[in-house]
Amino acid sequence: MSPQTAALAALANLYEQDYALWLDTTGQLLKAGRLAEVDIANLLKELNDMGRSEKQALTSNLIVVLMHLLKYAYQPGQRSNNWRFTLKEHRRRLQEALGTSPSLTDYFEQIFADCYQEARDLTATETGVGLENFPIESPFTHEQVLDRAFLPR
């Protein structure tokens, strides 16, 4: 086994044994321009996972906002500061994600209808309000969902 092959195997092994050290080592190798020594397979895996993680967070935050908007609209007697706080916080997270990664805007638009369906189902289960009481299509626009001041009447 060549020294370069042995070094690559050691770095790949490090990925499994000490992730933080693998990150530091990989960063140092990249910074030094020693690309031939970088554990490319695991680096690519990490980059793909980062993109997936960003999308999962966006999806989760969107569902939470839609659920709280539905609860706010269809349970006016139960409105609380906690609901308003949750709306503001998850909208902030959405805006931050879209601000730091504008390319996620297309993804936001693609998943909006599916997220609404999930939020509709979860809200019906959580509240005991029948699913048939919530509109099939989202009564909220993309802009309303992201608007930290918007509350349904």
Side-chain angles (χ1 to χ4, degrees):
M1 179 181 296
S2 74
Q4 185 176 1
T5 304
L8 285 172
L11 194 54
N13 192 38
L14 186 60
Y15 178 80
E16 299 298 330
Q17 294 179 358
D18 190 337
Y19 179 72
L21 182 57
W22 177 87
L23 281 173
D24 289 342
T25 303
T26 301
Q28 290 171 8
L29 290 170
L30 289 168
K31 188 174 183 179
R34 296 167 45 193
L35 303 181
E37 299 173 49
V38 172
D39 176 9
I40 298 294
N42 284 318
L43 181 58
L44 288 172
K45 179 181 177 223
E46 288 302 311
L47 290 172
N48 286 333
D49 287 348
M50 286 173 57
R52 190 175 312 119
S53 172
E54 292 293 314
K55 288 179 176 179
Q56 288 172 340
L58 187 84
T59 300
S60 177
N61 286 309
L62 179 54
I63 290 169
V64 170
V65 169
L66 289 165
M67 285 179 64
H68 278 76
L69 287 172
L70 285 170
K71 290 192 298 186
Y72 201 91
Y74 289 89
Q75 291 190 304
Q78 301 206 19
R79 291 176 181 168
S80 67
N81 284 334
N82 185 45
W83 285 1
R84 286 185 286 279
F85 169 80
T86 298
L87 279 166
K88 281 195 176 211
E89 173 59 20
H90 287 271
R91 283 171 163 162
R92 182 196 63 75
R93 293 177 190 184
L94 286 171
Q95 290 169 342
E96 182 179 312
L98 295 172
T100 58
S101 298
S103 63
L104 288 175
T105 301
D106 289 341
Y107 182 73
F108 175 87
E109 292 171 3
Q110 290 170 8
I111 64 166
F112 190 89
D114 288 340
C115 286
Y116 174 72
Q117 294 307 318
E118 184 66 21
R120 183 176 172 255
D121 181 56
L122 291 170
T123 304
T125 302
E126 181 183 357
T127 63
V129 174
L131 187 62
E132 68 280 358
N133 293 298
F134 299 114
I136 293 173
E137 301 291 322
S138 175
F140 316 113
T141 66
H142 297 183
E143 293 76 20
Q144 289 171 327
V145 167
L146 294 171
D147 180 353
R148 290 179 74 179
F150 171 77
L151 292 172
R153 296 195 184 258

